[in-house]
Amino acid sequence: MNLPTIALLATGGTIAGSATAATDTTGYVAAALGADALLAAVPAITTVARVRARQVYSIDSKDISSAHWLTLARAAQEALDDAAVAGVVITHGTDTLEETAVFLDRTLDCRHKPVVLTGAMRPATALSADGPMNLYDAVCAAAHPDSAGRGVLVCFNRLLLQGATVHKRHTSALDAFGPGEAGPAGHTGPVRYHAPAWQRPAPQALPRDAESLPRVDILHVGAGMPADLLEYAVQRGARGVILALPGNGSLPEPWHAPVARAVAAGVRVVRATRCGNGNVSAHHIDQQCGSTAAGPLTPAAARIALMLDLLADHC
Ligand code: ASP
């Protein structure tokens, strides 16, 4: 049978997690199993695609750094540029999967081939582990001709979500990922999309010699909290700060002067929302303090966008 070739890039996470008991879904070791073990658990994949597996690294995604994103982006682009490869699947820890998805969505040239990220909420050793089905669905999606031209996709719990807006919204549920306000791009079982693919902007090129990204911090702003942490972040060398603010990015009065001082010192300050959903619109406070509005981006996504902007400024 003439099956498409899918490149599987494994990075660790709970999908590769192992526990001593099948009933243990929290006290396990993430990133314990290799790509071959993940594939061996899903023999049905061989009826859908020829999978070429590569272990890019093995980590719990809570420990991911910008150096890991750069390594993964280079490995994924190499696979996409291979004429024999029809699509790419990446297995990843769920904790920071949304950051990796945004980073890859902005930097990979995947206009003609799909890239699908997946993971699991239960370790591979658990009763009713969700990883095998998620991996099977991700390979089906990456092998499907309708998946190209949609940017990086996240396949989870039978949903196909846009990597640019995906958000982990639950600590333990199998449907841990929310699609953002636009809703899911599609479903699996079988693969189907709710709208045609769209024209995508050109990806941001990564400098060959880049080993990390500029430092951008996120500060969650609670009611009545002083702006000391902003001043500290600036002192510690942050080149940008994302403020996860109440409501529509509402900047408390005591933060106005510290934000203006940070901006005057060359630090980019972005107003985002801690609401989890919705747009943060431009406001006259931005003219006054020099901040900008995150628009529809979550704090995590706004941070990746700003890191990439700062990287581009230095090229
Ligand atoms: N801590 C794990 C990780 O992000 C959680 C998971 O994969 O679900 O690697």
Side-chain angles (χ1 to χ4, degrees):
M1 217 192 321
N2 202 9
L3 296 175
T5 297
I6 298 300
L8 170 66
L9 304 179
T11 71
T14 293
I15 191 167
S18 175
T20 45
T23 49
D24 189 352
T25 55
T26 53
Y28 58 90
V29 179
L33 306 174
D36 292 345
L38 304 191
L39 284 171
V42 199
I45 284 179
T46 56
T47 65
V48 179
R50 243 183 282 277
V51 177
R52 228 166 58 185
R54 173 173 168 196
Q55 194 74 44
V56 183
Y57 40 77
S58 291
I59 54 169
D60 185 318
S61 77
K62 70 181 171 55
D63 297 321
I64 214 157
S65 67
S66 61
H68 290 106
W69 294 330
L70 289 161
T71 301
L72 182 58
R74 288 173 182 133
Q77 193 61 59
E78 197 184 304
L80 288 165
D81 293 343
D82 183 338
V85 169
V88 175
V89 169
I90 300 171
T91 54
H92 198 287
T94 63
D95 285 351
T96 61
L97 187 144
E98 65 199 69
E99 275 113 313
T100 299
V102 172
F103 180 77
L104 297 178
D105 189 66
R106 286 172 176 254
T107 55
L108 290 184
D109 188 352
C110 56
R111 285 172 286 183
H112 307 295
K113 293 179 186 177
V115 174
V116 185
L117 276 155
T118 194
M121 294 303 290
R122 292 180 181 156
T125 48
L127 287 173
S128 297
D130 53 332
M133 180 64 102
N134 285 347
L135 180 59
Y136 175 76
D137 280 349
V139 171
C140 290
H144 199 286
D146 286 356
S147 299
R150 298 176 183 277
V152 168
L153 294 164
V154 172
C155 181
F156 224 89
N157 200 39
R158 312 234 89 176
L159 292 180
L160 288 160
L161 310 167
Q162 278 157 31
T165 54
V166 77
H167 176 50
K168 188 173 182 182
R169 61 183 176 185
H170 201 283
T171 56
S172 56
L174 300 189
D175 65 341
F177 285 89
E181 286 186 307
H187 288 79
T188 58
V191 173
R192 58 207 189 277
Y193 290 95
H194 306 311
W198 60 96
Q199 193 71 32
R200 301 218 358 113
Q204 178 172 337
L206 293 169
R208 272 179 198 284
D209 58 347
E211 287 173 4
S212 63
L213 298 180
R215 174 172 165 173
V216 175
D217 293 348
I218 299 176
L219 299 181
H220 187 103
V221 180
M225 211 173 110
D228 302 12
L229 287 178
L230 172 62
E231 285 159 355
Y232 186 67
V234 173
Q235 268 173 37
R236 296 298 297 169
R239 307 258 319 281
V241 177
I242 310 297
L243 300 178
L245 292 160
N248 189 351
S250 310
L251 191 67
E253 206 283 324
W255 285 67
H256 292 189
V259 167
R261 277 198 297 276
V263 172
V267 175
R268 304 257 298 266
V269 180
V270 176
R271 291 183 305 107
T273 179
R274 60 183 206 186
C275 286
N277 272 305
N279 192 71
V280 171
S281 27
H283 188 270
H284 64 76
I285 203 68
D286 296 325
Q287 270 117 50
Q288 196 183 314
C289 301
S291 50
T292 54
L297 301 181
T298 61
R303 175 170 174 258
I304 303 294
L306 183 52
M307 286 168 131
L308 283 168
D309 274 4
L310 290 164
L311 184 73
D313 287 352
H314 265 70
C315 292

